[in-house]
Each structure stands twice: as C-alpha cells, then as structure tokens.
Amino acid sequence: WDPVFPPGALWDALNMVYADESDNPEVMRGTTRLGVTDMGGAVTGMFDHDSGTKLIASCADGKIYQYTGTDWAAESGAAASGNDTTATTRWNAEGFYGATSTADLTVLCNGIDAPAKYDNTDVTALGGSPPSTGNFPTEFMGRLALAEGDLVTFSAPNDCEQWTVAAGAKRIQVARGKDGPIVGMRNHGGVLLVFKRNSTYRIRPTQTFTSADVAQVSANIGLVSARTLADAGSEGAENLSWASSQGLEMIQATDTSVGWAVRNITRWPKNVMSFRNKAQMDVAWSDFNIDRRELYFHYPTGSNTIPKEGIIGNFARPRKLPRWTRMDKANLTAGVVYRSSGTEFVQYADVST
C-alpha cells in the first residue's frame, strides 16, 4: 500500500465521471448542441430566468441572447446591446421581484455597464437609481444587494427597482481601504458572504445595516472569480465552494463566534491545476449538478485568457472527500444548471455556441 497513491485512486481519469457512490468511473456522456446559430463571440454568462422560463446568455459582442426553444436570437430592449465588449468581461445575474415592473426580473450586471433587468421580453436599464456600476446581484433578507468598490447597497424591501435611502435602501461598507474592491457575494446559510481577492467577510441578518454587522471569516483566503461560487456537497448543496488563489475552497458552519470556517478541497488535483493562468482566473467558472453531486470547475491555462481545462469533483459519498477527474473539452466560457419541468440540464457555452 502506497500512502501517496491510496487504494481506489487512479493516476489519471480523462473525460471520466463517477456514477453516484460507485467506485467505478465511467465515460462522460455526450452533448447536444442547442440551436444552429452562433452568437457573436465568446459567451460571457448563462442564466436561468425565472426557474426554467427562459435560458439567456450574455456575449462578448455586447449583446444579450435568448434561447427560443429551437435557436438562439438576440434579445430586444435598450440594454440588450451596446454593452462592454472586452473579451474578459463577465456577467452576473440574480432573480428578484421588481415592484415598478410588477414582474419577476433577472438582474444582469458586469461591473462596467449600468445594471440591467430582463422581464422575459426586453432587456432594459434597472430603475430606481441603483449603483451606476453595481455588480454581483445577490438576494439577502428580502432585498437585492449590489456591490461597487467596497460598498454593498441593499434595495428597498421586496423591490429591486428602488435604491435610494429615502425609498428604504441600506448601505454597508466592507473592510474599506483593505484588500481592494469586493469581487463577489453569496447568500449562504442565512448570512451574506462578501469576498475580496484575498479575504472573506460575512454580513449577519440585520435591521441596522452597520459595520457592527460585518465580521471577517478569513484574512488570507479570498475569491478569484464570482462565477466560481457554487453550492455543493454530498447532501446536495449544504456547503459553498469557490476558487481562491490557492485552489478550490469550501466553507462550512462551525461553533466559532463568526460561525464559518474555510478549508481547501483540492489537495489531490493540485498538480493538475498547477498550470492554470493565475493572472486570468477572473474568467474561471463553476457549476454544481445536484442530481449527480458533481462540481464542474473550468479555468484558463498557460497564457490563455479563456478556460482551457476543467476538473470534476464527485461529492456523492457522504462524509468523504470528493473524487476528482478531469476533462479536456476546451474553450468553455460559461455554464448554468438549467431547471425545466422538474429536470436539471447542464448547459455550457464556448466561444460562440
């Protein structure tokens, strides 16, 4: 028995996955292309609008697209085109209710253009005076949160189209002047986790929205890409994983005063990931397939500015470390687990499809 190479381990598992708790890897299933029309460049985000109502995508040509059920088509609306075309710009989205529109909206942000909203018909500017380059939209305590610099702004209760203090909006500064701007947020376990590049914080449930509600979770582990935030775990989605400068991390509840602890989960695939382009990790992304208990993580390598490799973590075995395999399908720039009619579909896109 070799302690460096434990029983059941494999030297390499390319384009292989594990089925449930089985110890026998199997070949990955094939894929089916959605539609026949290429979008206008690299896909910079994919989102499930209103729980399976519509699949939408952002693109490096500055446009927002929708899947009609048979093909991809450019969306309509004043904010559906003319957006930033920088190849490395990535979009983030969150569903929330807009009282002005009286509709369930998907709020779309990239940190450069003004926040936008999609109402299942058009993409238009998000109203109510939101932060001009607000990003990382996240629901928390019945409000929508947007980050800009080191300031988190919360909308009025139950209305993502009201952002003034007079209308009931709130603001919290997070570690002002320390470790740069906020690079991601996630509502997990009843708290709002706020990430900077090399540190992590939490905002507890509050009615006061002051600095006293902020606590540091980690002083040296942060986030390299908001698109890598994914709820994952052997029970379905009880933990939160993300990519830091050191690899993939996972946060778990503890009995400490802060309530959370961070641990690295990529000890075994560390050597495989050593070729990642650390200067371009802001384009990395992850998704978690709850049905299969699989975490997909895609990242750029060498001098590449788009993801070129991916690894898959299988969390199906309770109370055990994940099992890792890798895939060599290159140029996957975005993905989403799309839920339709009670079925989950793993959708991903590359430089045009």
Side-chain angles (χ1 to χ4, degrees), residues 182-254:
I182 294 167
V183 297
M185 298 190 295
R186 189 71 163 220
N187 182 344
H188 183 77
V191 303
L192 182 64
L193 292 167
V194 181
F195 298 86
K196 294 192 173 187
R197 181 72 187 207
N198 298 295
S199 54
T200 304
Y201 306 84
R202 70 101 176 100
I203 298 176
R204 65 188 178 189
T206 179
Q207 297 298 321
T208 58
F209 292 91
T210 68
S211 58
D213 299 311
V214 181
Q216 189 174 75
V217 175
S218 176
N220 51 29
I221 297 175
L223 174 73
V224 295
S225 169
R227 275 70 57 191
T228 65
L229 289 163
D231 296 308
S234 61
E235 303 303 322
E238 70 275 19
N239 300 316
L240 179 68
S241 71
W242 72 91
S244 71
S245 297
Q246 293 78 29
L248 285 177
E249 313 291 343
M250 182 166 279
I251 197 166
Q252 296 175 307
T254 71

Side-chain angles (χ1 to χ4, degrees), residues 296-331:
Y296 306 90
F297 174 49
H298 299 268
Y299 52 91
T301 57
S303 60
N304 295 297
T305 58
I306 58 175
K308 289 292 184 179
E309 288 185 358
I311 59 174
I312 304 169
N314 180 281
F315 287 77
R317 301 180 301 173
R319 297 178 297 280
K320 291 185 178 181
L321 292 173
R323 297 168 295 180
W324 298 96
T325 58
R326 67 184 182 95
M327 60 187 297
D328 63 356
K329 188 170 179 58
N331 303 324

Side-chain angles (χ1 to χ4, degrees), residues 114-282:
K117 65 183 180 184
Y118 176 61
D119 61 3
N120 203 41
T121 302
D122 296 313
V123 182
T124 56
L126 181 65
S129 301
S132 60
T133 57
N135 204 355
F136 316 117
T138 307
E139 183 278 329
F140 183 61
M141 291 188 62
R143 301 170 183 263
L144 187 68
L146 291 176
E148 188 176 51
D150 50 24
L151 181 68
V152 181
T153 301
F154 300 85
S155 72
N158 304 311
D159 186 5
C160 67
E161 297 178 285
Q162 289 290 349
W163 294 90
T164 64
V165 173
K170 301 292 184 181
R171 299 187 180 99
I172 293 182
Q173 211 90 42
V174 177
R176 185 176 184 180
K178 179 181 179 180
D179 195 20
I182 294 167
V183 297
M185 298 190 295
R186 189 71 163 220
N187 182 344
H188 183 77
V191 303
L192 182 64
L193 292 167
V194 181
F195 298 86
K196 294 192 173 187
R197 181 72 187 207
N198 298 295
S199 54
T200 304
Y201 306 84
R202 70 101 176 100
I203 298 176
R204 65 188 178 189
T206 179
Q207 297 298 321
T208 58
F209 292 91
T210 68
S211 58
D213 299 311
V214 181
Q216 189 174 75
V217 175
S218 176
N220 51 29
I221 297 175
L223 174 73
V224 295
S225 169
R227 275 70 57 191
T228 65
L229 289 163
D231 296 308
S234 61
E235 303 303 322
E238 70 275 19
N239 300 316
L240 179 68
S241 71
W242 72 91
S244 71
S245 297
Q246 293 78 29
L248 285 177
E249 313 291 343
M250 182 166 279
I251 197 166
Q252 296 175 307
T254 71
D255 57 1
T256 64
S257 59
V258 175
W260 302 95
V262 179
R263 66 183 180 93
N264 190 282
I265 59 173
T266 44
R267 174 187 176 190
W268 296 115
K270 184 176 181 179
N271 288 339
V272 174
M273 296 169 56
S274 64
F275 298 102
R276 66 191 186 278
N277 183 353
K278 294 184 178 181
Q280 292 290 334
M281 285 298 290
D282 54 346

Side-chain angles (χ1 to χ4, degrees), residues 18-30:
Y18 288 93
D20 300 320
E21 298 180 33
S22 170
D23 288 330
N24 300 315
E26 61 184 28
V27 177
M28 289 181 66
R29 299 175 182 176

